[in-house]
Amino acid sequence: MFHTKMTYLACIGKRFKDAGLGDIVVESGLIAQGSVNGVMNGHHYNRSMRAHKVMHDALRQLQLEAFVDSFSTEDEQIVSNE
């Protein structure tokens, strides 16, 4: 089971590393520059899990903010009244 989790983390890292995920985790101070390859390859399991969870939470927060920003004034009134 543990190997499967590492493989899954490696797939996520491989898919999104070139899209800027590696740069984001380093620039944010989440992961040190020297650990990025291990995190993206899934070799540093605990660091990988933490980095992916934090990135997931951040992206969901941005998604929620974009959704709320898309409300019209009428929609905002309906939501705030409930």
Side-chain angles (χ1 to χ4, degrees):
M1 180 78 173
F2 185 74
H3 182 67
T4 305
K5 290 179 184 177
M6 285 179 53
T7 305
Y8 182 70
L9 292 171
C11 288
I12 293 172
K14 184 175 183 176
R15 171 124 176 130
F16 294 106
K17 182 180 178 185
D18 292 334
L21 180 61
D23 295 331
I24 291 170
V25 295
V26 170
E27 301 247 348
S28 68
L30 188 59
I31 302 293
Q33 179 68 42
S35 298
V36 172
N37 286 334
V39 168
M40 293 297 133
N41 293 333
H43 294 290
H44 300 296
Y45 179 76
N46 290 333
R47 286 185 221 159
S48 296
M49 285 299 294
R50 181 171 182 268
H52 291 305
K53 285 179 181 180
V54 168
M55 286 303 302
H56 176 264
D57 290 344
L59 291 172
R60 293 295 291 188
Q61 181 66 33
L62 290 171
Q63 184 181 31
L64 178 62
E65 290 174 9
F67 174 68
V68 170
D69 288 344
S70 72
F71 285 177
S72 67
T73 307
E74 182 180 304
D75 292 337
E76 288 179 21
Q77 291 172 351
I78 291 170
V79 171
S80 64
N81 286 337
E82 292 182 9

